[in-house]
Amino acid sequence: MQHILVSACLLGEAVRYNGSDRRCDEPILLRWLAEGRVVPFCPEVAAGAPVPRPPSEIAGAKSGADVLVGRARVVEPDGNDVTGLFIQGAELTLARAHERGIRIAVLKEGSPSCGSDLIYDGNFSGRRLPGAGVTAARMRQGGIAVFSENRLAEADALLSLLEAPSNQS
């Protein structure tokens, strides 16, 4: 059985920067939970970030891939640089996925770690732009298919393909 790494906040764990969660009760995710497929993970908490903590964004309208190669940094509103924590969280997440043979991840959209299609603009303005967070970018580099909670049907379709008898190894 394929396991799926899922952002812990989507599973109701209060690990977000402000101490809240973003519980997702979509039927596909609930089915995966019932099937025992879900591996919860929070990159920031795994890297040692406290809950609550100041919000963070990728500065300069850059992406997680830019952070990974040193062209951008992750900062808090006061300018405190937390790039190292985000890179460590991304590496720990990828290591966990590889340990479990995970090939699919569902990560929280908009997060500077987990955003897969959208992230905030780095100015703490509330404006979003296309891009991936640090963990989402690192997971993709490591061969993991990354989806947001808004794309569960696509993730489920890939799961079906991976588990099709002709793809079993």
Side-chain angles (χ1 to χ4, degrees), residues 32-46:
W32 292 344
L33 281 163
E35 293 169 350
R37 295 182 181 279
V38 172
V39 175
F41 205 83
C42 176
E44 295 99 323
V45 170

Side-chain angles (χ1 to χ4, degrees), residues 18 24 32 50 61 68 96 113 136 146 161 167:
N18 61 3
C24 178
W32 292 344
L68 291 168
R96 179 72 169 160
S113 274
V146 177
L161 281 174
N167 290 326

